[in-house]
Amino acid sequence: MKLSIIIPAYNAEKYIDKAIRSVVKQDFHDYELIIVNDGSADRTRQICERWQAQKGGIKLINQENSGSSIARKNGLLAAQGEYCTFLDADDWFCTTDAFQKLVDRMQDHRLDVLQFSYKKVYKFISKNVVFSEHSESFDEFWRTDCSCLLGGNISHIAPNVWSKVYRTELLKKAVELRGVERLFVADDLCLNLIFFSLPEVQKIESVPWVCYAYRQFSGGVFKANEGILDDYEIAKRAEFAAMQGHNCPEAFVKQCHVESAYIVQAACIKASVYSDVTLELVKKCYSYQFVKDAVAYLKTHPEGSWPYLDLFVSEDYDRYLAEVKRSAKHWRTRIKRFVRKFI
């Protein structure tokens, strides 16, 4: 068995048929499809069972609702392919030759991980995210490109898991080292941090082939006080542990602290766009250790390229709240204009 494709699925009845169809229509057939039904309350299980009855090579794992990180882990532990990749239940592979090309490259170049390009699909438009042709070793990655994985400009390595083919035995090792933390956000980043820290991961490549369609959903409330920043607290701890273990350049350390400021800003603005942000919520954001660390670091290592940072570092909660509300008003206006124009 050459390739295992793992789909974690929760209440995905509207989309999973397309996801599965994009797998079974591939020109390459030496694969297994593992679907982990994460306690869905809709028709997801029935749709998967129908496909399982029609096609060989489909495994269905039914579990109590435990989150996508646990679903991915259980799917990976069941994988028998030499290589593995992931497919979210609301996405799909957008070319029928994707598996053949990716497996051939993994074999011919004896790779440990291969990243492929993808397209973001919005309601009315799509946009390609194309990685340059790139090859590097373990040491080169941690000297140069780990900044992409750690949240910087995505030029070579992105933090997600679904745009990559991994050597299965190595990814299983990373999952076991990680443990069983259940994360709502930053799950991909944490797993990749561990995977790319394995000394066995010596050959890394990216290719410009657009193989995957990533569905972008608009809307939704980003509630900074309901678990989101708890997950980032774990992710940031993993980031800095990885950087310290590999003696990353100071620029990468600074970049990660700047990203922390952006996370707080995004959380507060998105919450304010759809509901309201209070002074208590802003203070709660500043109570997280990764935010405290960012404030302390950026006070002594100023970053002049982003005016918002001065406000973030000042810890003036009232001014910060006022700026968040101003930004949220701007985004609400943009959303209304978009709705009037296209809907």
Side-chain angles (χ1 to χ4, degrees):
M1 183 76 65
K2 282 297 178 185
L3 182 65
S4 298
I5 304 97
I6 300 162
I7 303 180
Y10 175 71
N11 288 351
E13 64 178 7
K14 293 182 180 179
Y15 309 106
I16 196 164
D17 188 79
K18 184 170 187 175
I20 296 172
R21 193 178 301 276
S22 75
V23 173
V24 301
K25 282 190 171 183
Q26 291 288 315
D27 300 332
F28 181 84
H29 300 294
D30 190 13
Y31 71 82
E32 61 177 356
L33 173 59
I34 302 171
I35 307 169
V36 184
N37 173 38
D38 188 31
S40 298
D42 62 1
R43 294 180 57 254
T44 296
R45 177 172 179 170
Q46 288 85 343
I47 294 170
C48 295
E49 288 175 342
R50 188 187 72 228
W51 273 105
Q52 191 178 32
Q54 293 175 359
K55 290 283 186 179
I58 298 178
K59 298 178 182 178
L60 177 60
I61 299 172
N62 294 299
Q63 65 178 38
E64 293 184 1
N65 181 241
S66 304
S68 62
S69 58
I70 304 299
R72 281 175 176 161
K73 177 178 181 178
N74 289 337
L76 179 62
L77 293 178
Q80 297 180 333
E82 182 178 354
Y83 312 117
C84 65
T85 190
F86 295 92
L87 172 62
D88 284 354
D90 49 2
D91 299 337
W92 65 96
F93 290 102
C94 55
T95 63
T96 57
D97 62 349
F99 293 177
Q100 187 69 64
K101 290 166 66 177
L102 295 169
V103 169
D104 285 349
R105 177 62 73 98
M106 288 289 289
Q107 290 184 132
D108 294 345
H109 291 208
R110 298 182 180 179
L111 302 178
D112 298 309
V113 60
L114 172 64
Q115 177 175 249
F116 48 88
S117 301
Y118 61 94
K119 65 179 178 179
K120 292 182 178 180
V121 180
Y122 300 87
K123 187 171 184 178
F124 300 104
I125 60 172
S126 64
K127 179 182 179 182
N128 287 347
V129 178
V130 180
F131 301 103
S132 59
E133 188 95 19
H134 187 66
S135 177
E136 61 192 339
S137 68
F138 176 85
D139 292 333
E140 289 170 335
F141 170 80
W142 284 103
R143 282 200 310 269
T144 58
D145 285 339
C146 73
S147 63
C148 305
L149 185 64
L150 297 170
N153 178 41
I154 298 176
S155 58
H156 291 150
I157 302 294
N160 55 60
V161 296
W162 42 256
S163 65
K164 298 172 183 65
V165 178
Y166 301 87
R167 189 173 295 279
T168 304
E169 62 176 328
L170 296 180
L171 191 61
K172 284 184 176 182
K173 183 175 181 179
V175 165
E176 290 301 326
L177 287 172
R178 177 186 165 177
V180 293
E181 282 178 330
R182 175 178 175 175
L183 300 181
F184 179 68
V185 297
D187 174 62
D188 292 23
L189 170 63
C190 287
L191 181 55
N192 272 321
L193 281 168
I194 297 172
F195 177 82
F196 282 96
S197 293
L198 296 175
E200 298 95 327
V201 178
Q202 287 294 328
K203 299 200 71 176
I204 305 163
E205 283 193 8
S206 295
V207 289
W209 312 327
V210 176
C211 301
Y212 190 101
Y214 171 50
R215 195 188 301 268
Q216 291 277 100
F217 291 99
S218 59
V221 180
F222 195 133
K223 295 185 178 179
N225 63 332
E226 293 187 4
I228 301 298
L229 296 185
D230 292 335
D231 285 6
Y232 276 115
E233 184 88 299
I234 296 170
K236 283 294 176 182
R237 190 163 63 242
E239 277 187 349
F240 286 106
M243 284 191 294
Q244 289 172 3
H246 297 285
N247 297 317
C248 289
E250 186 67 25
F252 296 171
V253 176
K254 187 174 187 177
Q255 179 177 292
C256 284
H257 285 304
V258 171
E259 186 199 30
S260 296
Y262 174 78
I263 289 168
V264 173
Q265 180 202 23
C268 290
I269 290 175
K270 289 183 180 180
S272 187
V273 165
Y274 297 103
S275 56
D276 192 21
V277 173
T278 64
L279 190 61
E280 289 70 27
L281 181 56
V282 172
K283 290 180 179 179
K284 180 175 175 61
C285 290
Y286 274 86
S287 71
Y288 285 89
Q289 189 60 51
F290 81 93
V291 179
K292 293 178 181 178
D293 292 343
V295 170
Y297 181 90
L298 293 171
K299 279 183 177 179
T300 57
H301 301 76
E303 171 59 59
S305 61
W306 189 29
Y308 218 104
L309 277 179
D310 292 335
L311 185 55
F312 170 77
V313 171
S314 73
E315 298 183 89
D316 186 333
Y317 304 138
D318 292 303
R319 282 180 57 218
Y320 195 90
L321 178 61
E323 180 61 23
V324 163
K325 289 187 174 182
R326 186 197 66 78
S327 298
K329 182 178 179 180
H330 167 73
W331 280 105
R332 279 195 294 269
T333 301
R334 290 191 64 177
I335 291 169
K336 287 178 182 177
R337 287 175 182 168
F338 182 84
V339 170
R340 291 195 201 104
K341 184 176 181 179
F342 293 106
I343 300 177

